[in-house]
Amino acid sequence: MKNSVSSRLRNPIVSRSGHGALRFCEVSAMQDDRPPHSPGQATSRLAKRQGGLQLECRRRMLGAVQLKIMTRIFVSIFLLVFSLLPLAKPATVGAAKKPNIVIIVADDLGWADVGYHSDRIPTPHLDRIAREGVELDHFYVFPMCSPTRAGLMTGRYPIRFGMARAVIPPWRHFGLDPSEIMLPEALAKAGYQRRGVFGKWHLGHNDTKWHPNSQGFTHFRGHYNGAIDYFDLTREGERDWHVNERASGEQGYSTDLIAGAASRFIAKHAKVVAPYFCYVPFNAPHSPFQAPAKYLKKFAHLAEGKAGGKNRNLRQKVAAMVSSMDDGIGRILRAIDDSGEADDTLVWFFSDNGGVSAIADNNLPLRGNKLDVWEGGVRVPAAVRWPSGGVRGGGKVSVPLSCIDVMPTLAKLTAPGSSAGLGNKPFDGRDVLDVLQAKRRRLDRELYFYHGQAGEDREKIAIRTAKWKLLITGPNIVSGEWQTAKHERFLFRIDRDPNETTDLLSRHPEVATRLAKKLVAHRKLQPPDGVGVYNAGRKKFKAPRDWVVK
């Protein structure tokens, strides 16, 4: 009887997980192997006992099987989650953390053209970047478009590779030297698989080697030249609107097209594991001064009914253009918010130079305008936001920073060890992440500004240190001559006199002499084959069809 009962009870499952239940059945069966009081009692008791044992054994064996299944499921889920951890974007900042990067550049935006500097033009979305991040109160660029973009992309003074004298006009066969290491190229090496540029390129167009897709970007939608028509997207009579290397028939107001393309890029590539780089150089509010009707209506109170000529109602038009751009920036910020990665996305905004002189107060209280080396031409609105990276809280950074600091900062951030330079191209800019995080409040450095677009007889050059700023205008100073009757010279204690109101040249000639030597050395960096003066070659130029270069 013992063998018969044990045999039946061992049948269900014999495994490691069911060992305890099986042992119970065996022990219970052996406990039943006792001499009966009588044959009838034995039969009755055995039948009753066997039924109870079978039910209990089945219950215990079923529990063991369920435990085994649940254990396998748990282990499988654990192994799956563990295997996916290297692919997930970390939730905290660490050595391997690489943020998404969005750089937004306005074109000819004046110091007083943002809401956080003046009440002239409401800019709630730009204000948001400054409020949630930090305002860069002393952020410097170069006096005009192309040089600032070149400095941003390389981290180097554009005079080193011939791009400081002037912008690149439509008729110029010139571009940013492909031997320079560009920001998107550096980010590609750091794992940024998608690198898009949307808007105004202005770094060379008459040879494909200067185009965005040849300089490290994976996607381009926008225009090669500056000053395109906002509605028909033409320059010099030909449409200048492209998707990568192909002419595009896309229609719309350029500011809307740029913001829409950037927003879609962010929405799409935020879904993948690798971080993305999105560069958004708006052409607003650069001339020609054009805006959609709804924005003009919004600023109808700025219209000047009696004004005539091309600058008629200029204040109204510029305000409308800035407002439209701000709404476009709002679309970009919403795309970042909707991606769920706002904390892990670094947003850096600034203007490429000061506002134009046609509007007298758009740079106040700063002195000067676009194309000047006065503060109004080179000190611009700027702000950075990166919550998970410690760049937050609505503070104000008063340390002098520059567009040439962007590249070394991002290079160090995304590929540690790269802040000193890439290859044989040393940076002129600095890694300033600790400044943005309010961990450092002073940089001992010199910043240089140069503009020679009108020719070598009317150049403008300046140097700013932590305390002083020297400006020289007039003939080229490369010979060492800077105190002739044809030169104007100004010296300011820029740390105490940021609006350049009190000239101290006569009181501190020794300071001027020391700084002038540095300016002469800087001017000597200009190579002989640099970009020419603006109007050279303009008369006989004819634009290629749709600005497609083969």
Side-chain angles (χ1 to χ4, degrees):
M1 182 65 66
K2 171 182 175 181
N3 291 339
S4 175
V5 172
S6 298
S7 175
R8 287 198 304 269
L9 295 177
R10 284 192 177 101
N11 281 341
I13 294 179
V14 179
S15 68
R16 184 174 300 176
S17 63
H19 180 71
L22 182 59
R23 179 60 180 164
F24 167 83
C25 296
E26 290 176 339
V27 171
S28 298
M30 287 187 293
Q31 287 176 346
D32 217 42
D33 191 20
R34 294 173 298 186
H37 291 89
S38 67
Q41 283 183 320
T43 301
S44 174
R45 189 178 66 184
L46 180 59
K48 183 177 181 180
R49 187 73 174 178
Q50 285 178 345
L53 285 173
Q54 288 178 351
L55 289 174
E56 180 64 14
C57 289
R58 287 172 182 170
R59 185 183 68 79
R60 296 202 178 196
M61 292 300 292
L62 179 60
V65 171
Q66 290 175 333
L67 177 62
K68 178 179 179 181
I69 294 173
M70 293 301 294
T71 300
R72 287 182 175 178
I73 293 174
F74 175 83
V75 171
S76 298
I77 293 174
F78 176 82
L79 292 175
L80 176 61
V81 172
F82 186 79
S83 68
L84 291 175
L85 283 177
L87 302 178
K89 294 185 179 181
T92 58
V93 178
K97 181 61 180 175
K98 296 177 181 179
N100 303 312
I101 298 170
V102 178
I103 297 177
I104 303 172
V105 178
D107 200 344
D108 293 1
L109 187 73
W111 180 263
D113 286 340
V114 294
Y116 59 89
H117 283 168
S118 168
D119 60 1
R120 296 171 62 254
I121 307 173
T123 56
H125 304 296
L126 285 176
D127 297 354
R128 178 189 170 192
I129 298 174
R131 183 177 66 253
E132 296 179 353
V134 294
E135 178 188 347
L136 307 183
D137 195 41
H138 288 79
F139 189 82
Y140 288 91
V141 293
F142 301 107
M144 54 201 157
C145 309
S146 298
T148 293
R149 287 160 170 70
L152 164 65
M153 287 289 116
T154 63
R156 289 159 49 81
Y157 281 112
I159 196 171
R160 292 188 181 277
F161 40 91
M163 286 199 65
R165 189 202 316 268
V167 299
I168 300 177
W171 42 89
R172 185 75 68 247
H173 190 80
F174 193 85
L176 199 157
D177 187 350
S179 70
E180 294 290 328
I181 304 299
M182 296 273 282
L183 176 57
E185 294 174 314
L187 292 178
K189 295 179 181 179
Y192 287 72
Q193 298 175 3
R194 296 294 180 266
R195 305 171 302 280
V197 51
F198 308 95
K200 173 180 172 179
W201 179 237
H202 220 193
L203 289 173
H205 50 269
N206 280 319
D207 193 311
T208 56
K209 68 181 180 181
W210 297 318
H211 288 183
N213 296 107
S214 300
Q215 299 273 45
F217 285 99
T218 59
H219 191 79
F220 167 59
R221 184 182 293 263
H223 51 108
Y224 296 134
N225 292 281
I228 67 166
D229 186 285
Y230 281 76
F231 291 102
D232 65 25
L233 311 177
T234 61
R235 179 69 198 264
E236 303 301 309
E238 291 290 339
R239 273 181 60 92
D240 183 3
W241 197 258
H242 307 266
V243 175
N244 297 322
E245 297 294 334
R246 296 185 177 182
S248 169
E250 189 175 25
Q251 301 290 328
Y253 185 65
S254 61
T255 300
D256 293 338
L257 298 179
I258 291 167
S263 300
R264 292 191 298 273
F265 177 88
I266 291 169
K268 178 179 180 180
H269 297 298
K271 298 177 182 178
V272 301
V273 173
Y276 61 81
F277 171 44
C278 182
Y279 170 43
V280 193
F282 283 99
N283 57 321
H286 193 290
S287 63
F289 302 111
Q290 302 167 319
K294 69 175 182 178
Y295 289 100
L296 291 171
K297 182 178 181 180
K298 180 179 179 180
F299 294 95
H301 61 284
L302 296 178
E304 302 167 359
K306 296 181 180 181
K310 66 177 183 180
N311 289 339
R312 177 180 172 84
N313 297 331
L314 184 57
R315 291 175 184 274
Q316 177 194 22
K317 292 175 183 176
V318 169
M321 295 166 76
V322 171
S323 183
S324 174
M325 180 183 68
D326 186 69
D327 282 350
I329 291 171
R331 293 175 63 186
I332 293 170
L333 295 178
R334 283 195 298 275
I336 295 172
D337 291 340
D338 293 344
S339 74
E341 297 191 340
D343 283 352
D344 295 326
T345 300
L346 188 155
V347 179
W348 198 322
F349 164 80
F350 59 93
S351 180
D352 66 345
N353 46 249
V356 296
S357 59
I359 300 179
D361 58 355
N362 64 350
N363 293 310
L364 291 179
L366 304 181
R367 182 175 179 178
N369 310 278
K370 175 184 178 179
L371 306 183
D372 286 334
V373 293
W374 299 100
E375 293 288 281
V378 295
R379 183 180 165 194
V380 296
V384 184
R385 186 191 75 178
W386 181 28
S388 68
V391 185
R392 60 180 184 269
K396 182 179 292 189
V397 174
S398 296
V399 178
L401 303 179
S402 171
C403 62
I404 60 174
D405 296 331
V406 177
M407 167 71 149
T409 299
L410 297 182
K412 179 68 173 181
L413 175 64
T414 58
S418 300
S419 62
L422 295 169
N424 62 344
K425 304 286 187 178
F427 290 138
D428 292 308
R430 305 278 192 88
D431 168 20
V432 297
L433 181 59
D434 55 353
V435 177
L436 302 179
Q437 295 170 329
K439 297 178 180 178
R440 186 175 184 180
R441 301 187 182 278
R442 181 181 175 87
L443 280 180
D444 293 321
R445 69 185 314 186
E446 299 158 353
L447 292 174
Y448 295 88
F449 314 98
Y450 164 63
H451 174 232
Q453 188 159 274
E456 293 198 359
D457 290 336
R458 293 181 290 168
E459 293 193 345
K460 305 172 184 179
I461 194 165
I463 178 175
R464 191 217 144 124
T465 69
K467 292 174 59 175
W468 297 98
K469 183 175 178 182
L470 175 68
L471 299 85
I472 303 174
T473 64
N476 186 349
I477 64 170
V478 74
S479 66
E481 294 290 337
W482 59 279
Q483 300 186 77
T484 72
K486 294 182 179 181
H487 290 94
E488 288 187 287
R489 302 164 302 283
F490 306 88
L491 180 69
F492 302 99
R493 270 299 300 264
I494 198 65
D495 58 336
R496 300 176 182 173
D497 183 17
N499 299 330
E500 300 167 309
T501 61
T502 306
D503 183 8
L504 301 176
L505 184 67
S506 60
R507 300 185 202 176
H508 299 279
E510 75 290 351
V511 174
T513 299
R514 173 170 56 84
L515 296 180
K517 290 181 180 179
K518 294 178 179 290
L519 280 178
V520 170
H522 184 76
R523 180 62 182 83
K524 287 181 178 180
L525 295 175
Q526 175 82 17
D529 57 349
V531 64
V533 296
Y534 185 79
N535 284 319
R538 183 173 190 171
K539 291 183 179 180
K540 297 182 179 181
F541 176 76
K542 180 175 176 56
R545 183 173 178 80
D546 292 330
W547 283 99
V548 174
V549 178
K550 298 180 180 180

